[in-house]
Amino acid sequence: MSSTLHSYTEALDNLSFSDNEKKRLVESLKAKTGARTTKASAERPATPAETAQVLRMPRHHRHHGWARIAAVAAALAIAVGGGTVAVAAGVLPAPSQVFADVFGTAPAQTEIIDKIGHPIGASATSNGVTITAQAVIGDANGCTVVFDITRDDGQPFDVTGLMMGRASENTDDKILALMFSSDDVTIDGATSIAGSSFIYNPDVSSNTTLRYVRQFDHVDFGSASSLNGQTCHVHLSDIESFAPEEYRAHVKSGENLASGTWDLTFELNYEDATVNLAAGQTTTFAGNDATIDKVQVSPIGVTVGYTVAYQADLQGWEGGEESPQVSAEFEKIFGLPITVTFADGTTEDATRGGATSSENANGTTSVSSSHTFTQLREPSDIVSVTVGDVTIPVK
């Protein structure tokens, strides 16, 4: 059985929206993140905070792909956080229980999750609905936090017709067509934050607890060194639906599943098992030289930073649909092949991770690309990372 994280990715491919709805979603996202529309754009807010132009790679080079992602993977905006916080009563669940749907339930996965993940327990209540930050797991480049959403009266949520995917297939898909109308985060010490999120139903037989998965990545700390140990402020309001075409007859975009405002503050404490690999090598792709600036592996995934001797020509593109010319320009920046080899002989293509870039004054472009593994791995199970034609061993 595939994890909820990967079901989420698959569900995006089954979504479609009307032209008016796409326009509304894109305009909403731009207003929320302050994303630029000239030589900057895409699914996440701009980083870093320096004066350099920033370009982001859409995750799916498909027709209308960016608008679909904008609807579900709501970008994390920089905002002033804070508010009242309560600590959930009782014994906190083990991280492996919280992350079972996200990363899988195999014994090896459970062991890694409980080793590097930590419980949180911060909660906030509004209008009879409580949202609790249950646990966090992460590495040097980002983290994932899972929140539980429950009604104080113990009654189930009415999620009829909100299943992602098509009505005639993927009927066991737990991802829901829900998003927060306001979804803002501040992390102490961070100058900018990017990430994505989704809401799913862990138990379709009861519908009493929904889960909100928030992924933070490409966090710029300026002079600070790590996401781990920082204080996080999250502001959420109004859980509302959006309407894929398959469900438009009975799901209206913007209908509230729950109204309220929730403010939570908690520390991002987890075990950072990141391993830094050798860097500084040079490779070539798409006819341009690239210098490998950083390679890091962790149980969660791999991050590669590199500088390519090219700057994309995206004149006239405003962050909507990609033309073949725009896609070709993206390939020249983000298409550096990245492959991870594991001890059991299997490999994983990490080329299409979440990526950001910034243009440099000397005509080059610096890129950071992060890929989440299909299953968690011990660093000792990772043999090497191949970037372009350079293979870097994990020692």
Side-chain angles (χ1 to χ4, degrees):
M1 178 181 295
S2 62
S3 70
T4 294
L5 187 63
H6 297 100
S7 296
Y8 162 65
T9 303
E10 294 169 1
L12 289 176
D13 293 334
N14 292 328
L15 293 181
S16 57
F17 299 89
S18 68
D19 290 338
N20 287 337
E21 189 163 29
K22 288 178 217 172
K23 182 177 180 180
R24 180 183 70 82
L25 291 166
V26 172
E27 291 302 321
S28 174
L29 185 70
K30 287 179 181 177
K32 185 175 184 180
T33 63
R36 300 177 184 179
T37 57
T38 302
K39 264 195 166 183
S41 172
E43 59 179 353
R44 296 176 180 173
T47 68
E50 291 83 7
T51 57
Q53 297 270 17
V54 177
L55 173 67
R56 298 187 179 282
M57 178 186 67
R59 287 184 181 275
H60 299 278
H61 293 274
R62 298 174 183 264
H63 187 63
H64 303 325
W66 186 81
R68 294 204 306 268
I69 294 171
V72 188
L76 307 180
I78 302 302
V80 177
T84 58
V85 180
V87 176
V91 178
L92 295 174
S96 56
Q97 294 176 323
V98 176
F99 286 102
D101 288 321
V102 180
F103 292 111
T105 58
Q109 302 296 290
T110 298
E111 182 178 351
I112 296 173
I113 292 170
D114 284 338
K115 182 186 299 183
I116 66 176
H118 280 211
I120 299 175
S123 68
T125 299
S126 181
N127 293 337
V129 173
T130 296
I131 297 181
T132 303
Q134 292 284 25
V136 58
I137 191 171
D139 58 17
N141 298 288
C143 69
T144 298
V145 180
V146 171
F147 301 78
D148 276 4
I149 306 170
T150 57
R151 290 179 48 160
D152 295 349
D153 61 10
Q155 294 300 305
F157 290 99
D158 182 5
V159 293
T160 304
L162 293 177
M163 301 282 282
M164 295 278 278
R166 299 176 181 173
S168 60
E169 56 184 276
N170 295 330
T171 55
D172 61 344
D173 200 338
K174 298 179 179 181
I175 306 298
L176 299 172
L178 292 171
M179 62 193 298
F180 287 95
S181 63
S182 178
D183 176 9
D184 302 325
V185 62
T186 298
I187 298 176
D188 290 354
T191 57
S192 62
I193 307 165
S196 60
S197 60
F198 61 94
I199 296 174
Y200 78 99
N201 186 359
D203 186 356
V204 296
S205 66
S206 69
N207 301 329
T208 56
T209 298
L210 306 183
R211 278 191 167 156
Y212 176 49
V213 179
R214 170 70 72 81
Q215 296 170 292
F216 303 99
D217 58 276
H218 299 298
V219 180
D220 179 26
F221 284 102
S223 60
S225 59
S226 175
L227 179 66
N228 190 21
Q230 302 294 334
T231 300
C232 180
H233 312 272
V234 176
H235 171 79
L236 305 168
S237 64
D238 296 346
I239 306 172
E240 64 181 21
S241 65
F242 58 92
E245 288 180 358
E246 295 92 331
Y247 304 113
R248 190 152 292 140
H250 54 279
V251 178
K252 294 182 180 179
S253 180
E255 284 194 344
N256 280 4
L257 180 79
S259 297
T261 300
W262 301 269
D263 291 282
L264 302 94
T265 298
F266 51 87
E267 290 188 355
L268 298 171
N269 289 324
Y270 53 87
E271 186 71 26
D272 183 359
T274 302
V275 176
N276 293 294
L277 308 188
Q281 308 89 334
T282 299
T283 186
T284 301
F285 78 104
N288 300 301
D289 290 338
T291 300
I292 303 170
D293 302 317
K294 177 180 72 173
V295 182
Q296 295 177 318
V297 294
S298 76
I300 296 173
V302 57
T303 295
V304 176
Y306 58 92
T307 300
V308 58
Y310 186 80
Q311 292 185 348
D313 181 7
L314 300 177
Q315 186 174 0
W317 184 67
E318 295 188 353
E321 298 178 20
E322 294 175 45
S323 66
Q325 292 78 12
V326 168
S327 295
E329 289 298 298
F330 277 132
E331 285 298 311
K332 294 177 183 179
I333 298 297
F334 299 112
L336 178 60
I338 302 170
T339 304
V340 182
T341 300
F342 302 106
D344 60 6
T346 61
T347 62
E348 189 163 329
D349 183 4
T351 307
R352 290 291 173 261
T356 61
S357 72
S358 59
E359 294 183 346
N360 304 314
N362 62 359
T364 64
T365 301
S366 295
V367 179
S368 178
S369 178
S370 296
H371 169 80
T372 301
F373 294 145
T374 55
Q375 64 181 46
L376 300 184
R377 300 276 188 164
E378 290 282 6
S380 59
D381 291 335
I382 307 171
V383 174
S384 64
V385 178
T386 300
V387 182
D389 59 2
V390 177
T391 297
I392 305 168
V394 178
K395 297 180 180 179

